[in-house]
Amino acid sequence: MTAKYTIILAAGKGTRMKSKLHKVLHRVAGKSMVDHVLTQVEQIHPEAVVTVVGHDAEAVKAELGDRTQFAEQKEQLGTGHAVLQAESILGGRDGVTMIVSGDTPLLTAATFEKLFAYHADKGAKATILTAAAPDPTGYGRIIRGDLGTVQKIVEQKDATPEEAKINEINTGVFCFDNKALFSALHEVTNDNAQGEYYLTDVIEILKRRGDVVAAYKMPDFNESMGVNDRVALAAAASVMRDRINEEHMRDGVTLIDPERTYIDADVQIGNDTVIEPGVYLKGQTVIGNDCHIRSGSTIVNSTIEDGVTVTSSTIEDSIMHKNSDIGPNSHLRPQSDIGEGVHIGNFCEVKKATIGAGTKVGHLTYVGDATLGKNINVGCGVVFVNYDGVKKWHTNVGDDAFIGSNSNIVAPVDVADHSFIAAGSTITNDVPFHAMAIARSRQTTKPDYWDRLPLSDSEDWQ
């Protein structure tokens, strides 16, 4: 079987993005564009992947890690020059090399497979991935002869008026016989309007040698979309979002309004889950079966098990176990572990806390740095006071405890199983088993106090 290799071009600065962030690191549906490209490349199992880096090389390397080898283009002298930097890794090998840009996040593994297959079927030394563009401005044009064979590729700035009218464009993706590629690259010159070494000039060099040059025309132009500015970034995100949402719906997820539902590429969702409009599911989030995610919710890098309801709330780096619920307008901050059947009501905040099965935290409560057992009732306005200005402290509350409204639990304390805290208490000491803790001053009532006020008879007090 013929060996397959891939070169990803990720060296250019991307000045039209007008950003401090490298172009290929801008995110589409939660992943950088170059990560999208590499993820699809990995699915065709090439023997080697080389990413050519230049501007912000260290940032790109950090993004992709050990999933690829790297070659550095120290001066950006064109795409041909960029590919030549991979020669020290791939030069001299037998096989077929695919070249793809790191700013084309919508390309799929299925298209890559078809390109390799077409290249082999035609016995070509080079195969160009092309598409029909509704507006070809800015793209290199595919110039074909009378029999439909590829003659050359003309860049936008070098095209004649007639050539500029052609709508079949070069997507920037190629397959080459690996040895022929590097041999031809050494013949490329920079005699053009940009003064750069174009990869596309390899096509003419191979044609002069009498080699077969083919072109596989992909059916969906949108898949080939390159991103050079924020307008194109938004367009790519829209296409990706539609693709992701359709896949989830076909897998048994109900999206009430797909156009207003935002799901990142790596999110997993189970069958019969219902997602309302205005929901954002981000990062590595996993949602189980039979969940209901209501409007206005944002879930980031979290696990939501079966049968959970999330109502207009934010969840970050946390887990909600089966049949629990939260909201509206509550917030799980990182490292929150919400047990099975737990109720987190409205306007609650939980941070770095474990809440046991069946516990109810109704409303207007803060639970931070705490472990709560099973079947606890936490009243309205309870605050777990975890920070003394220097250090965070932990609180433990046992099973079946009752915490009255408007209580302050000042950590570190242990509240035992089956204990009670009276409403309005500030607890600073441990509460033992079956005990009730009351920590508030007794009520004092002053009779006839109204009559003592100097303004009691004025109209302002009527």
Side-chain angles (χ1 to χ4, degrees):
M1 183 180 236
T2 303
K4 294 188 291 189
Y5 315 106
T6 298
I7 298 172
I8 300 174
L9 302 182
K13 187 174 183 180
T15 55
R16 279 181 282 174
M17 294 297 287
K18 297 182 179 178
S19 175
K20 296 183 290 296
L21 184 66
H22 190 296
K23 178 174 70 170
V24 301
L25 297 181
H26 281 265
R27 306 187 90 73
V28 172
K31 294 173 67 169
S32 67
M33 292 192 286
V34 71
D35 189 351
H36 276 292
V37 173
L38 179 56
T39 297
Q40 296 302 312
V41 166
E42 287 170 332
Q43 293 180 35
I44 66 171
H45 306 293
E47 291 194 13
V49 180
V50 180
T51 300
V52 181
V53 296
H55 287 285
D56 295 325
E58 293 307 313
V60 177
K61 289 179 180 180
E63 177 76 5
L64 301 181
D66 60 4
R67 297 162 60 193
T68 172
Q69 299 179 68
F70 295 97
E72 187 168 358
Q73 185 186 25
K74 294 182 179 179
E75 294 182 87
Q76 276 63 63
L77 301 177
T79 52
H81 180 260
V83 173
L84 196 56
Q85 308 315 300
E87 186 176 28
S88 61
I89 300 172
L90 298 179
R93 295 195 190 188
D94 291 317
V96 177
T97 295
M98 180 176 71
I99 299 170
V100 59
S101 297
D103 61 0
T104 51
L106 300 173
L107 288 165
T108 65
T111 295
F112 294 155
E113 291 282 15
K114 290 175 183 176
L115 178 62
F116 273 104
Y118 190 88
H119 178 82
D121 183 62
K122 297 300 180 182
K125 290 291 186 181
T127 301
I128 309 158
L129 182 65
T130 74
D135 178 6
T137 304
Y139 290 93
R141 308 304 202 279
I142 302 300
I143 311 301
R144 293 182 181 266
D146 294 337
L147 299 177
T149 56
V150 176
Q151 300 297 309
K152 61 180 178 177
I153 303 171
V154 177
E155 299 298 329
Q156 171 79 34
K157 293 184 179 181
D158 299 317
T160 66
E162 287 302 311
E163 290 170 337
K165 294 177 182 178
I166 295 170
N167 75 342
E168 185 179 8
I169 58 94
N170 169 28
T171 66
V173 182
F174 304 85
C175 273
F176 290 100
D177 174 90
N178 189 64
K179 288 182 176 178
L181 167 65
F182 288 107
S183 171
L185 281 172
H186 287 285
E187 298 181 29
V188 172
T189 69
N190 63 348
D191 184 18
N192 52 61
Q194 290 291 95
E196 294 184 349
Y197 296 90
Y198 291 148
L199 175 62
T200 50
D201 288 351
V202 170
I203 300 300
E204 287 191 70
I205 293 169
L206 295 179
K207 290 287 291 184
R208 288 199 303 266
R209 292 179 179 179
D211 293 325
V212 175
V213 175
Y216 171 67
K217 190 174 182 180
M218 62 192 302
D220 182 7
F221 167 74
N222 283 336
E223 190 177 323
S224 69
M225 189 185 302
V227 174
N228 290 312
D229 58 25
R230 307 295 178 115
V231 175
L233 183 67
S238 179
V239 173
M240 182 68 78
R241 185 165 61 248
D242 290 345
R243 183 188 294 175
I244 291 168
N245 288 356
E246 179 177 343
E247 183 177 347
H248 284 298
M249 288 187 287
R250 294 192 183 280
D251 283 343
V253 179
T254 295
L255 304 184
I256 301 299
D257 186 352
E259 292 185 1
R260 294 195 293 141
T261 303
Y262 305 87
I263 304 174
D264 279 358
D266 291 333
V267 171
Q268 302 175 44
I269 309 173
N271 293 341
D272 293 316
T273 284
V274 177
I275 300 175
E276 296 184 359
V279 167
Y280 291 78
L281 305 178
K282 300 183 177 182
Q284 304 296 316
T285 291
V286 177
I287 297 177
N289 301 319
D290 303 299
C291 295
H292 196 156
I293 314 299
R294 298 185 184 274
S295 295
S297 296
T298 298
I299 304 176
V300 184
N301 293 326
S302 296
T303 298
I304 309 298
E305 293 187 350
D306 297 348
V308 171
T309 298
V310 178
T311 303
S312 304
S313 295
T314 298
I315 302 172
E316 305 171 89
D317 299 289
S318 296
I319 181 169
M320 292 187 68
H321 293 281
K322 292 180 179 180
N323 302 315
S324 57
D325 68 275
I326 184 172
N329 304 309
S330 287
H331 187 183
L332 298 185
R333 290 167 58 195
Q335 299 181 57
S336 296
D337 188 325
I338 309 304
E340 187 170 343
V342 167
H343 168 65
I344 306 291
N346 55 306
F347 298 101
C348 295
E349 181 176 335
V350 181
K351 188 273 294 185
K352 199 177 180 182
T354 298
I355 299 180
T359 289
K360 299 186 184 330
V361 183
H363 36 266
L364 299 163
T365 289
Y366 171 68
V367 183
D369 293 276
T371 300
L372 277 63
K374 300 176 182 178
N375 303 314
I376 298 167
N377 185 86
V378 180
C380 176
V382 171
V383 177
F384 284 74
V385 185
N386 59 331
Y387 184 46
D388 64 6
V390 177
K391 185 178 177 180
K392 300 289 179 72
W393 299 91
H394 196 83
T395 295
N396 297 298
V397 181
D399 296 344
D400 300 294
F402 181 94
I403 301 177
S405 296
N406 200 36
S407 296
N408 297 310
I409 315 298
V410 183
V413 293
D414 291 328
V415 179
D417 295 351
H418 301 278
S419 60
F420 298 80
I421 294 175
S425 295
T426 296
I427 302 300
T428 57
N429 297 314
D430 293 350
V431 182
F433 180 74
H434 276 194
M436 172 182 277
I438 305 175
R440 62 189 185 214
S441 61
R442 292 186 177 277
Q443 178 177 328
T444 300
T445 302
K446 302 291 185 180
D448 301 320
Y449 185 73
W450 175 269
D451 296 335
R452 302 180 191 181
L453 298 178
L455 298 178
S456 60
D457 294 327
S458 72
E459 292 183 359
D460 294 339
W461 289 79
Q462 300 305 312

